[in-house]
Amino acid sequence: MPIKKMQDLDLTGKTVVIREDLNVPMKDGQVSNDKRIRASLPTITTALEKGAGVVLLSHLGRPTEGQYEEQFSLKPVAARLSELLGKPVALAATLEEAKAAPGAVTLLENVRFLKGEKKNDPALAAQLAALGDVYVMDAFGAAHRAHASTEGAVRVAKVACAGPLLQAELDAFAKVLNNPARPLAAIIGGSKVSTKLALLENLLEKVDVLIVGGGIANTFLAAAGYMVGKSLYEEDLVTDAKRIMEQAKNLNRELPLPVDVVTAEELAPGQAATTRAVGDVPADQMILDVGRDTIAQYKKLLSKVATVVWNGPVGAFETDPFGEGTKELAHYLADSKAFVVVGGGDSVAAVEKYGLSEKMGYISTGGGASLELLEGKVLPSVAALEDRG
């Protein structure tokens, strides 16, 4: 069922309720990274240009549901939003105050201060939906949560539709998963196989090349019979890693393992780092990055692909000197002719750290939501929008 789009609706004189993902990092009571706020701006300005009043909804952090907690207040978000929009954004403390005349913007205080949000309480969903004439789900980063503001309100609103940001996210992942230009490669990093086991199994059915990195790669190295020293890996998932490698072989998929790695005694800044062959990792060392020969191997494989999805770094890039592998890979993908979708907080952070965001095909705003899409799951918010379509 096609999803209604906000851009296609007549919003003149109407109140539009927009669920955004404004769950941004804070430091000392200020917004420390406004990427998600900036990502919401085109949706908000489009609604205003169409003659609507805008009531915004979002969560922030994990407060005790039903209780106000100052550290999780959206006050700093309202202030930053006012600066970016160039107009005042009122902060409504209660549902009764959440009103906006045409041309005005009001942000309702953290929806997780409302009892029943996370349990998708029908009464709360109805109250949220009733705040306006049109309910816009635009929070891709929360689309995998069946909460009152993300799923329940969509189902009971008079008119429900997707916002431009959510639609752009769905289009980008459809381009990767539904009918990708081939060959298709996936780069999946991170600390644990256990959190991405379903993802790896689903992707193996779809991709031509599957590159694993970080702690995940360590578990695969252990499964291949290599000693990994003190490295982060999951001994209880070695059997699963073996099965996935066998599956890749049977499906004729490329699943390369590192041939050289960067090791140190511990993960800490300024450590003495040594590049070694994968068979030469001492018992007192940790694998913290991939070596140059491994990156050269990855580049050779990726030079042949037309589409790449990247979720997770290939090393401990946050800590010098263990970021070279991820940096090299990020620069290679930025210069590649392939369509590259970057999803997941750490890989997005790496791309931003190296100033390469503008050179990627698409940067996703949702970590958990993007993972669930890649796992082949239907997001609750999207299912609700499809049902309303």
Side-chain angles (χ1 to χ4, degrees):
M1 184 79 71
I3 292 174
K4 283 183 183 175
K5 300 178 183 178
M6 189 192 84
Q7 303 95 298
D8 298 336
L9 301 180
D10 179 8
L11 304 179
T12 307
K14 295 180 178 177
T15 299
V16 176
V17 183
I18 307 177
R19 176 50 160 104
E20 291 289 0
D21 181 11
L22 307 177
N23 183 30
V24 294
M26 297 282 188
K27 186 175 183 181
D28 301 325
Q30 300 293 319
V31 175
S32 59
N33 184 327
D34 65 2
K35 183 179 185 299
R36 283 180 171 172
I37 300 175
R38 289 180 179 276
S40 73
L41 295 179
T43 303
I44 298 168
T45 53
T46 297
L48 292 171
E49 287 165 3
K50 282 176 162 281
V54 174
V55 174
L56 298 172
L57 311 180
S58 180
H59 73 284
L60 178 67
R62 297 181 178 180
T64 302
E65 190 174 294
Q67 295 182 25
Y68 176 86
E69 294 181 52
E70 182 68 26
Q71 64 176 317
F72 297 114
S73 172
L74 286 171
K75 286 176 190 173
V77 174
R80 184 62 183 135
L81 202 47
S82 296
E83 293 172 3
L84 293 170
L85 285 172
K87 66 188 303 169
V89 174
L91 183 68
T94 65
L95 288 166
E96 291 72 26
E97 295 173 25
K99 299 174 183 178
V105 181
T106 296
L107 173 62
L108 177 66
E109 188 55 281
N110 195 333
V111 290
R112 289 189 180 172
F113 290 167
L114 302 172
K115 199 164 185 61
E117 161 64 6
K118 291 170 73 174
K119 290 185 177 179
N120 202 359
D121 177 64
L124 178 59
Q127 286 180 295
L128 295 171
L131 292 175
D133 306 294
V134 177
Y135 198 91
V136 181
M137 177 56 190
D138 202 42
F140 178 72
H144 60 310
R145 307 293 189 197
H147 292 173
S149 67
T150 59
E151 196 262 359
V154 171
R155 293 195 177 277
V156 298
K158 287 182 281 188
V159 178
C161 62
L165 176 59
L166 177 66
Q167 194 63 55
E169 295 271 6
L170 296 177
D171 290 346
F173 281 98
K175 198 170 179 179
V176 169
L177 295 171
N178 296 347
N179 190 25
R182 288 192 177 274
L184 167 63
I187 304 164
I188 306 299
S191 58
K192 295 182 177 181
V193 174
S194 55
T195 59
K196 295 184 176 178
L197 185 61
L199 169 64
L200 294 172
E201 291 176 323
N202 185 56
L203 285 176
L204 208 51
E205 297 288 336
K206 300 175 182 291
V207 303
D208 303 289
V209 178
L210 178 60
I211 294 172
V212 292
I216 292 174
N218 296 341
T219 301
F220 276 80
L221 285 172
Y226 293 104
M227 303 302 292
V228 295
K230 296 193 302 180
S231 305
L232 173 66
Y233 85 107
E234 292 175 285
E235 188 175 0
D236 58 333
L237 287 174
V238 164
T239 302
D240 292 286
K242 286 181 179 178
R243 176 172 49 78
I244 289 172
M245 288 192 291
E246 187 64 28
Q247 188 180 353
K249 186 178 178 181
N250 293 337
L251 292 169
N252 198 28
R253 307 288 199 252
E254 295 273 9
L255 202 169
L257 295 182
V259 292
D260 62 340
V261 292
V262 177
T263 72
E265 287 188 5
E266 61 178 320
L267 176 57
Q271 284 287 301
T274 306
T275 301
R276 312 171 187 272
V278 289
D280 298 332
V281 178
D284 64 344
Q285 296 268 305
M286 302 175 71
I287 298 171
L288 296 168
D289 197 6
V290 291
R292 289 194 172 276
D293 290 346
T294 299
I295 287 294
Q297 174 188 239
Y298 293 168
K299 287 179 178 179
K300 186 175 180 180
L301 285 169
L302 293 170
S303 68
K304 304 170 186 176
V305 306
T307 308
V308 181
V309 58
W310 182 20
N311 189 298
V314 293
F317 80 97
E318 307 95 334
T319 307
D320 290 331
F322 309 115
E324 287 304 306
T326 298
K327 183 179 180 180
E328 278 280 314
L329 186 62
H331 276 278
Y332 183 81
L333 292 174
D335 294 333
S336 169
K337 293 179 181 177
F339 177 70
V340 181
V341 174
V342 184
D346 287 340
S347 39
V348 171
V351 168
E352 290 178 343
K353 178 179 180 179
Y354 307 129
L356 301 172
S357 298
E358 299 300 318
K359 298 185 75 176
M360 298 297 181
Y362 191 79
I363 304 289
S364 178
T365 59
S370 63
L371 274 179
E372 292 202 7
L373 276 183
L374 293 173
E375 287 174 11
K377 295 179 180 178
V378 177
L379 306 182
S381 298
V382 176
L385 286 168
E386 289 175 340
D387 290 344
R388 293 302 306 276

